[in-house]
Amino acid sequence: MSGPRRWWRRVLLVWAALVVAAGGLTLWLQDSDEPSRPPMGERATPTPSLPEGWQTACSRSSPDEKGRTLCFVRTR
């Protein structure tokens, strides 16, 4: 009866070793393949410019107590 148990134990150990080796290889290849990239926040695109006529479209909005104004401009 101890024969099949040892067999399953060996299969399990080989499987675990393969999983660990494949994970390490994946991380190593992933790091070596890509050039050094800046963190996600530093890759942001520039802020888009406002459409023409936004000053007149927002002139009817009233500022809050801190002087900020919220204005929605819809473009096509």
mmCIF file of all heavy atoms in Angstrom, residues 10-39:
data_model
loop_
_atom_site.group_PDB
_atom_site.id
_atom_site.type_symbol
_atom_site.label_atom_id
_atom_site.label_comp_id
_atom_site.label_asym_id
_atom_site.label_seq_id
_atom_site.Cartn_x
_atom_site.Cartn_y
_atom_site.Cartn_z
ATOM 1 N N ARG A 10 5.463 11.879 -4.980
ATOM 2 C CA ARG A 10 6.486 12.307 -5.941
ATOM 3 C C ARG A 10 5.872 13.137 -7.067
ATOM 4 O O ARG A 10 6.456 14.136 -7.498
ATOM 5 C CB ARG A 10 7.208 11.103 -6.525
ATOM 6 C CG ARG A 10 8.159 10.486 -5.553
ATOM 7 C CD ARG A 10 8.885 9.331 -6.154
ATOM 8 N NE ARG A 10 9.768 8.724 -5.161
ATOM 9 C CZ ARG A 10 10.449 7.631 -5.363
ATOM 10 N NH1 ARG A 10 10.362 7.004 -6.520
ATOM 11 N NH2 ARG A 10 11.223 7.150 -4.434
ATOM 12 N N VAL A 11 4.713 12.739 -7.563
ATOM 13 C CA VAL A 11 4.027 13.494 -8.607
ATOM 14 C C VAL A 11 3.702 14.895 -8.102
ATOM 15 O O VAL A 11 3.899 15.892 -8.795
ATOM 16 C CB VAL A 11 2.752 12.761 -9.080
ATOM 17 C CG1 VAL A 11 1.886 13.660 -9.936
ATOM 18 C CG2 VAL A 11 3.119 11.484 -9.827
ATOM 19 N N LEU A 12 3.222 14.975 -6.871
ATOM 20 C CA LEU A 12 2.879 16.265 -6.285
ATOM 21 C C LEU A 12 4.115 17.145 -6.118
ATOM 22 O O LEU A 12 4.078 18.349 -6.420
ATOM 23 C CB LEU A 12 2.183 16.066 -4.933
ATOM 24 C CG LEU A 12 1.683 17.323 -4.234
ATOM 25 C CD1 LEU A 12 0.631 18.023 -5.075
ATOM 26 C CD2 LEU A 12 1.131 16.988 -2.869
ATOM 27 N N LEU A 13 5.220 16.586 -5.680
ATOM 28 C CA LEU A 13 6.447 17.366 -5.521
ATOM 29 C C LEU A 13 6.992 17.843 -6.869
ATOM 30 O O LEU A 13 7.437 18.993 -6.994
ATOM 31 C CB LEU A 13 7.507 16.533 -4.791
ATOM 32 C CG LEU A 13 7.265 16.321 -3.302
ATOM 33 C CD1 LEU A 13 8.288 15.353 -2.722
ATOM 34 C CD2 LEU A 13 7.305 17.637 -2.562
ATOM 35 N N VAL A 14 6.947 16.983 -7.887
ATOM 36 C CA VAL A 14 7.407 17.395 -9.214
ATOM 37 C C VAL A 14 6.508 18.504 -9.762
ATOM 38 O O VAL A 14 6.990 19.488 -10.330
ATOM 39 C CB VAL A 14 7.438 16.179 -10.179
ATOM 40 C CG1 VAL A 14 7.626 16.619 -11.616
ATOM 41 C CG2 VAL A 14 8.539 15.213 -9.756
ATOM 42 N N TRP A 15 5.208 18.359 -9.572
ATOM 43 C CA TRP A 15 4.262 19.387 -10.046
ATOM 44 C C TRP A 15 4.529 20.723 -9.355
ATOM 45 O O TRP A 15 4.566 21.774 -9.993
ATOM 46 C CB TRP A 15 2.826 18.934 -9.794
ATOM 47 C CG TRP A 15 1.817 19.960 -10.175
ATOM 48 C CD1 TRP A 15 1.336 20.229 -11.414
ATOM 49 C CD2 TRP A 15 1.169 20.880 -9.295
ATOM 50 N NE1 TRP A 15 0.440 21.257 -11.357
ATOM 51 C CE2 TRP A 15 0.314 21.676 -10.071
ATOM 52 C CE3 TRP A 15 1.241 21.105 -7.913
ATOM 53 C CZ2 TRP A 15 -0.459 22.680 -9.509
ATOM 54 C CZ3 TRP A 15 0.463 22.108 -7.365
ATOM 55 C CH2 TRP A 15 -0.373 22.878 -8.169
ATOM 56 N N ALA A 16 4.726 20.702 -8.027
ATOM 57 C CA ALA A 16 4.990 21.935 -7.287
ATOM 58 C C ALA A 16 6.300 22.578 -7.743
ATOM 59 O O ALA A 16 6.391 23.799 -7.897
ATOM 60 C CB ALA A 16 5.024 21.647 -5.785
ATOM 61 N N ALA A 17 7.323 21.757 -7.994
ATOM 62 C CA ALA A 17 8.595 22.305 -8.464
ATOM 63 C C ALA A 17 8.438 22.938 -9.840
ATOM 64 O O ALA A 17 9.007 24.001 -10.117
ATOM 65 C CB ALA A 17 9.649 21.199 -8.493
ATOM 66 N N LEU A 18 7.657 22.306 -10.706
ATOM 67 C CA LEU A 18 7.424 22.875 -12.030
ATOM 68 C C LEU A 18 6.656 24.196 -11.947
ATOM 69 O O LEU A 18 6.945 25.134 -12.688
ATOM 70 C CB LEU A 18 6.661 21.881 -12.907
ATOM 71 C CG LEU A 18 7.481 20.714 -13.447
ATOM 72 C CD1 LEU A 18 6.581 19.725 -14.177
ATOM 73 C CD2 LEU A 18 8.575 21.205 -14.360
ATOM 74 N N VAL A 19 5.683 24.276 -11.061
ATOM 75 C CA VAL A 19 4.921 25.518 -10.898
ATOM 76 C C VAL A 19 5.829 26.640 -10.411
ATOM 77 O O VAL A 19 5.795 27.762 -10.933
ATOM 78 C CB VAL A 19 3.735 25.300 -9.931
ATOM 79 C CG1 VAL A 19 3.125 26.616 -9.508
ATOM 80 C CG2 VAL A 19 2.685 24.415 -10.579
ATOM 81 N N VAL A 20 6.662 26.368 -9.446
ATOM 82 C CA VAL A 20 7.574 27.385 -8.918
ATOM 83 C C VAL A 20 8.572 27.803 -9.992
ATOM 84 O O VAL A 20 8.836 28.998 -10.192
ATOM 85 C CB VAL A 20 8.294 26.856 -7.652
ATOM 86 C CG1 VAL A 20 9.434 27.775 -7.247
ATOM 87 C CG2 VAL A 20 7.298 26.705 -6.517
ATOM 88 N N ALA A 21 9.131 26.837 -10.720
ATOM 89 C CA ALA A 21 10.099 27.162 -11.769
ATOM 90 C C ALA A 21 9.445 27.963 -12.893
ATOM 91 O O ALA A 21 10.020 28.935 -13.393
ATOM 92 C CB ALA A 21 10.713 25.872 -12.323
ATOM 93 N N ALA A 22 8.240 27.592 -13.295
ATOM 94 C CA ALA A 22 7.553 28.320 -14.365
ATOM 95 C C ALA A 22 7.208 29.738 -13.917
ATOM 96 O O ALA A 22 7.315 30.687 -14.699
ATOM 97 C CB ALA A 22 6.289 27.576 -14.779
ATOM 98 N N GLY A 23 6.796 29.914 -12.674
ATOM 99 C CA GLY A 23 6.502 31.253 -12.167
ATOM 100 C C GLY A 23 7.737 32.131 -12.130
ATOM 101 O O GLY A 23 7.707 33.294 -12.533
ATOM 102 N N GLY A 24 8.844 31.578 -11.661
ATOM 103 C CA GLY A 24 10.091 32.337 -11.642
ATOM 104 C C GLY A 24 10.570 32.684 -13.037
ATOM 105 O O GLY A 24 11.026 33.801 -13.299
ATOM 106 N N LEU A 25 10.454 31.730 -13.962
ATOM 107 C CA LEU A 25 10.848 31.988 -15.345
ATOM 108 C C LEU A 25 9.973 33.058 -15.980
ATOM 109 O O LEU A 25 10.462 33.933 -16.699
ATOM 110 C CB LEU A 25 10.764 30.687 -16.147
ATOM 111 C CG LEU A 25 11.225 30.737 -17.592
ATOM 112 C CD1 LEU A 25 12.708 31.081 -17.656
ATOM 113 C CD2 LEU A 25 10.940 29.419 -18.283
ATOM 114 N N THR A 26 8.688 33.019 -15.692
ATOM 115 C CA THR A 26 7.775 34.033 -16.227
ATOM 116 C C THR A 26 8.149 35.424 -15.725
ATOM 117 O O THR A 26 8.217 36.379 -16.498
ATOM 118 C CB THR A 26 6.323 33.712 -15.829
ATOM 119 O OG1 THR A 26 5.986 32.436 -16.346
ATOM 120 C CG2 THR A 26 5.359 34.757 -16.351
ATOM 121 N N LEU A 27 8.388 35.554 -14.442
ATOM 122 C CA LEU A 27 8.773 36.857 -13.894
ATOM 123 C C LEU A 27 10.108 37.323 -14.462
ATOM 124 O O LEU A 27 10.277 38.501 -14.782
ATOM 125 C CB LEU A 27 8.850 36.783 -12.373
ATOM 126 C CG LEU A 27 7.514 36.661 -11.649
ATOM 127 C CD1 LEU A 27 7.750 36.473 -10.156
ATOM 128 C CD2 LEU A 27 6.651 37.879 -11.906
ATOM 129 N N TRP A 28 11.054 36.422 -14.600
ATOM 130 C CA TRP A 28 12.369 36.791 -15.126
ATOM 131 C C TRP A 28 12.256 37.249 -16.569
ATOM 132 O O TRP A 28 12.834 38.265 -16.948
ATOM 133 C CB TRP A 28 13.303 35.606 -14.986
ATOM 134 C CG TRP A 28 14.670 35.858 -15.544
ATOM 135 C CD1 TRP A 28 15.595 36.729 -15.054
ATOM 136 C CD2 TRP A 28 15.241 35.255 -16.692
ATOM 137 N NE1 TRP A 28 16.722 36.694 -15.835
ATOM 138 C CE2 TRP A 28 16.541 35.794 -16.851
ATOM 139 C CE3 TRP A 28 14.795 34.298 -17.597
ATOM 140 C CZ2 TRP A 28 17.375 35.408 -17.881
ATOM 141 C CZ3 TRP A 28 15.640 33.918 -18.617
ATOM 142 C CH2 TRP A 28 16.907 34.467 -18.759
ATOM 143 N N LEU A 29 11.511 36.514 -17.385
ATOM 144 C CA LEU A 29 11.354 36.907 -18.782
ATOM 145 C C LEU A 29 10.556 38.194 -18.927
ATOM 146 O O LEU A 29 10.834 39.010 -19.801
ATOM 147 C CB LEU A 29 10.677 35.784 -19.572
ATOM 148 C CG LEU A 29 11.533 34.549 -19.842
ATOM 149 C CD1 LEU A 29 10.696 33.472 -20.504
ATOM 150 C CD2 LEU A 29 12.727 34.908 -20.685
ATOM 151 N N GLN A 30 9.571 38.382 -18.085
ATOM 152 C CA GLN A 30 8.758 39.593 -18.139
ATOM 153 C C GLN A 30 9.611 40.818 -17.798
ATOM 154 O O GLN A 30 9.504 41.853 -18.448
ATOM 155 C CB GLN A 30 7.597 39.480 -17.158
ATOM 156 C CG GLN A 30 6.621 40.614 -17.231
ATOM 157 C CD GLN A 30 5.467 40.408 -16.256
ATOM 158 O OE1 GLN A 30 5.554 39.618 -15.322
ATOM 159 N NE2 GLN A 30 4.393 41.124 -16.460
ATOM 160 N N ASP A 31 10.457 40.715 -16.810
ATOM 161 C CA ASP A 31 11.309 41.832 -16.415
ATOM 162 C C ASP A 31 12.406 42.098 -17.431
ATOM 163 O O ASP A 31 12.745 43.240 -17.690
ATOM 164 C CB ASP A 31 11.936 41.566 -15.044
ATOM 165 C CG ASP A 31 10.935 41.675 -13.920
ATOM 166 O OD1 ASP A 31 9.857 42.254 -14.153
ATOM 167 O OD2 ASP A 31 11.214 41.168 -12.819
ATOM 168 N N SER A 32 12.970 41.063 -18.029
ATOM 169 C CA SER A 32 14.084 41.273 -18.938
ATOM 170 C C SER A 32 13.623 41.704 -20.326
ATOM 171 O O SER A 32 14.371 42.323 -21.063
ATOM 172 C CB SER A 32 14.918 40.000 -19.053
ATOM 173 O OG SER A 32 14.160 38.970 -19.676
ATOM 174 N N ASP A 33 12.395 41.390 -20.715
ATOM 175 C CA ASP A 33 11.894 41.691 -22.054
ATOM 176 C C ASP A 33 11.548 43.166 -22.221
ATOM 177 O O ASP A 33 11.772 43.750 -23.273
ATOM 178 C CB ASP A 33 10.662 40.831 -22.343
ATOM 179 C CG ASP A 33 10.166 40.998 -23.769
ATOM 180 O OD1 ASP A 33 11.008 41.147 -24.664
ATOM 181 O OD2 ASP A 33 8.938 40.972 -23.970
ATOM 182 N N GLU A 34 11.004 43.775 -21.196
ATOM 183 C CA GLU A 34 10.523 45.148 -21.304
ATOM 184 C C GLU A 34 11.592 46.135 -20.855
ATOM 185 O O GLU A 34 12.281 45.897 -19.876
ATOM 186 C CB GLU A 34 9.288 45.338 -20.424
ATOM 187 C CG GLU A 34 8.138 44.447 -20.824
ATOM 188 C CD GLU A 34 6.976 44.547 -19.857
ATOM 189 O OE1 GLU A 34 7.028 45.407 -18.956
ATOM 190 O OE2 GLU A 34 6.043 43.768 -20.003
ATOM 191 N N PRO A 35 11.720 47.251 -21.572
ATOM 192 C CA PRO A 35 12.630 48.288 -21.071
ATOM 193 C C PRO A 35 12.052 48.906 -19.806
ATOM 194 O O PRO A 35 10.863 48.766 -19.520
ATOM 195 C CB PRO A 35 12.671 49.305 -22.213
ATOM 196 C CG PRO A 35 11.422 49.071 -22.978
ATOM 197 C CD PRO A 35 11.082 47.608 -22.814
ATOM 198 N N SER A 36 12.877 49.567 -19.078
ATOM 199 C CA SER A 36 12.427 50.185 -17.838
ATOM 200 C C SER A 36 11.365 51.233 -18.130
ATOM 201 O O SER A 36 11.591 52.174 -18.889
ATOM 202 C CB SER A 36 13.614 50.824 -17.121
ATOM 203 O OG SER A 36 13.185 51.425 -15.939
ATOM 204 N N ARG A 37 10.178 51.046 -17.553
ATOM 205 C CA ARG A 37 9.073 51.972 -17.797
ATOM 206 C C ARG A 37 8.789 52.764 -16.524
ATOM 207 O O ARG A 37 8.938 52.250 -15.417
ATOM 208 C CB ARG A 37 7.805 51.210 -18.175
ATOM 209 C CG ARG A 37 7.933 50.456 -19.455
ATOM 210 C CD ARG A 37 6.646 49.804 -19.846
ATOM 211 N NE ARG A 37 6.050 49.104 -18.720
ATOM 212 C CZ ARG A 37 4.918 48.438 -18.773
ATOM 213 N NH1 ARG A 37 4.253 48.376 -19.882
ATOM 214 N NH2 ARG A 37 4.434 47.831 -17.723
ATOM 215 N N PRO A 38 8.347 54.009 -16.683
ATOM 216 C CA PRO A 38 7.969 54.779 -15.491
ATOM 217 C C PRO A 38 6.690 54.213 -14.890
ATOM 218 O O PRO A 38 5.942 53.512 -15.569
ATOM 219 C CB PRO A 38 7.741 56.192 -16.039
ATOM 220 C CG PRO A 38 7.483 56.013 -17.490
ATOM 221 C CD PRO A 38 8.218 54.782 -17.905
ATOM 222 N N PRO A 39 6.406 54.500 -13.636
ATOM 223 C CA PRO A 39 5.173 54.040 -13.017
ATOM 224 C C PRO A 39 3.946 54.545 -13.783
ATOM 225 O O PRO A 39 4.015 55.496 -14.560
ATOM 226 C CB PRO A 39 5.224 54.643 -11.613
ATOM 227 C CG PRO A 39 6.654 54.926 -11.370
ATOM 228 C CD PRO A 39 7.266 55.196 -12.702
#
